[in-house]
Amino acid sequence: MAAIIALVFTIISFPFSSHVSALSSNYYHKTCPHLEHTVTSTVKKAMKNDETVAAGLLRMHFHDCFIRGCDASVLLESKVNHKAEKDGPPNISLHAFYVIDHAKEAVEALCPGVVSCADLLALAARDAVNLSGGPTWKVPKGRKDGIISKANDTIQLPYPLPAPVSNISELRRNFSNRGLSLKDLVALSGGHTLGFSHCSSFQNRIHNFNDTLDIDPSLNPSFANSLRCVCPMYNKNKNAGSALDSTTFKFDNMYYKLLLQGKSILTSDQALRTDKTTRALVLKYARSEEEFEKAFVKSMIRMSKIRGHGPQEIRLNCRVVR
C-alpha cells in the first residue's frame, strides 16, 4: 500500500511526460461545477459502510501513478488473453474499485463525457485522507485516461512498483526514476498510517530472517512475537496480517512514532531508518503531525502530476476503453 520534488526528464530518459502546466485545480469549474461535491459524497458513503475504503483508494492512486503515470490504467479490466495492471502481483490486493465506478456513474449523470477516471481517482484519494482525519488540498485536474494497461508493468524493470522488501537504495532509485525525492519517499510512506498488510509482505522479517537470526533484530522483540502469533511459519490463512499502525483508520503521524520504536511492519518501512536523510525526516514527522501533513500534501500533489504517455481519452466506463 507506498511519491516528489519533480526533476526535469525528457521522454527519452524518463518514461513519463511532465506537462504539469495543463493541470489546474479549476479545470472543471465551468464544465462540471458540482464534480468535487459529488465525488466527496460518494467516498463518504462508501467509507461509512466500509472503513477499509480509505486505505484502498489512497493505495490505488499511488499504484496508478507509479506505473504509467496518473492515467487510471490501474482501473482497466483484464481481457481473455491480456492481463491488465490490476491483476499484476503487487495489485492483487487492491480494492474499492466500486467506489470509483459509483463516482463515475454519478458524475456522468451530471457532466457526460467530461471528467476523466484519472481525475476521479485523484479526487477520491484526497477525500479518503481528509475524511480519515487528515489534511485536504486542491487537486490539480485535467488528466486524461490511458488506454494501455499491462500486468507485467507492475513488476518488470526498470520501473516496477516499490516492493515491501525494498532497501533504501532500491527505494531511492524507484522514486528518483519517477522524478520524486527522498523527502517525497518519507512523506508518502506516511500513507501507511492507513491500511493493512498481509503476512506474505512481512514474513521475511519474522521467520528465517537470515542464516543466523530468525527475527529481524531491528524489530521490537515483543512486537515481533505478536506478529509471529498472527503469522506463523506455515500460515494457511491467506487473509491474516497486521494493520500498518495502531490507529488503522485514522490519518495521523503514528506510523512514524512506531517506526522509531521498532514497530514498523514492512522492510521498506524500516529502510527509512537506515539513511541519514530519511531518518531525520522520520524524526521530524514523528514529532510534528503538522509538519507531516504539510509534507504529505506537497508530495501527493507532485505525485499526482506524473503524466503518462501514449494514446489517451476520457472513458465513459472506468473499467474499459471506449
Side-chain angles (χ1 to χ4, degrees):
M1 244 170 173
I4 305 176
I5 292 176
L7 304 177
V8 179
F9 289 88
T10 66
I11 194 72
I12 296 174
S13 63
F14 188 58
F16 308 109
S17 58
S18 54
H19 306 300
V20 296
S21 60
L23 301 182
S24 166
S25 60
N26 297 318
Y27 190 83
Y28 299 108
H29 179 67
K30 293 182 178 180
T31 57
C32 198
H34 301 295
L35 165 63
E36 299 215 16
H37 173 74
T38 303
V39 175
T40 301
S41 296
T42 303
V43 174
K44 191 178 217 177
K45 182 178 179 180
M47 286 177 60
K48 184 176 181 180
N49 293 326
D50 180 359
E51 290 182 303
T52 71
V53 160
L57 292 173
L58 181 57
R59 184 167 175 246
M60 193 189 301
H61 182 43
F62 181 91
H63 282 220
D64 181 47
C65 292
F66 259 55
I67 299 301
R68 305 186 64 85
C70 308
D71 67 348
S73 52
V74 75
L75 303 179
L76 289 172
E77 292 287 344
S78 294
K79 297 180 180 178
V80 176
N81 296 314
H82 177 81
K83 274 193 174 185
E85 281 177 36
K86 65 165 54 175
D87 291 318
N91 288 340
I92 293 297
S93 60
L94 288 180
H95 72 290
F97 291 101
Y98 72 90
V99 181
I100 305 302
D101 292 337
H102 290 174
K104 182 63 170 174
E105 290 169 8
V107 170
E108 282 297 307
L110 295 174
C111 323
V114 172
V115 181
S116 69
C117 298
D119 280 341
L120 291 178
L121 181 51
L123 287 167
R126 186 273 311 273
D127 290 340
V129 169
N130 184 233
L131 292 169
S132 298
T136 188
W137 59 92
K138 292 183 178 180
V139 175
K141 296 174 285 292
R143 300 166 190 79
K144 297 297 186 291
D145 300 322
I147 66 171
I148 298 171
S149 183
K150 301 177 182 178
N152 284 342
D153 285 348
T154 64
I155 56 173
Q156 67 185 15
L157 296 174
Y159 305 109
L161 280 165
V165 296
S166 297
N167 59 38
I168 193 64
S169 295
E170 292 165 336
L171 291 169
R172 183 200 304 266
R173 181 168 59 252
N174 204 299
F175 274 64
S176 178
N177 283 341
R178 291 159 174 86
L180 309 179
S181 68
L182 283 179
K183 186 173 183 179
D184 298 319
L185 164 61
V186 180
L188 292 174
S189 293
H192 284 175
T193 185
L194 301 175
F196 176 91
S197 176
H198 291 96
C199 295
S200 57
S201 293
F202 57 88
Q203 196 87 353
N204 63 304
R205 301 189 73 196
I206 57 175
H207 299 292
N208 297 326
F209 178 68
N210 60 29
D211 291 338
T212 58
L213 296 171
D214 198 28
I215 298 174
D216 183 343
S218 66
L219 275 172
N220 176 287
S222 62
F223 181 66
N225 286 331
S226 69
L227 292 178
R228 283 163 65 93
C229 289
V230 175
C231 303
M233 171 79 81
Y234 301 106
N235 175 51
K236 295 182 180 180
N237 181 0
K238 65 179 182 179
N239 294 319
S242 172
L244 291 170
D245 82 1
S246 58
T247 55
T248 313
F249 305 115
K250 181 181 179 183
F251 192 94
D252 56 22
N253 66 338
M254 183 59 70
Y255 164 83
Y256 299 105
K257 294 178 181 179
L258 295 176
L259 179 52
L260 294 173
Q261 297 171 24
K263 296 180 180 179
S264 60
I265 300 294
L266 308 175
T267 298
S268 56
D269 294 328
Q270 167 59 22
L272 302 182
R273 293 179 60 188
T274 64
D275 174 88
K276 182 179 179 181
T277 300
T278 56
R279 180 177 172 80
L281 289 168
V282 169
L283 283 165
K284 180 180 181 179
Y285 301 152
R287 290 169 180 160
S288 172
E289 189 165 308
E290 181 181 0
E291 287 298 323
F292 161 51
E293 290 189 350
K294 284 164 50 179
F296 183 81
V297 166
K298 289 179 181 178
S299 291
M300 281 294 289
I301 291 173
R302 291 184 189 117
M303 182 188 74
S304 76
K305 289 181 178 180
I306 299 175
R307 304 295 297 275
H309 64 283
Q312 295 183 322
E313 63 178 9
I314 301 293
R315 288 181 216 142
L316 300 182
N317 179 334
C318 291
R319 293 176 181 258
V320 296
V321 299
R322 296 176 72 166

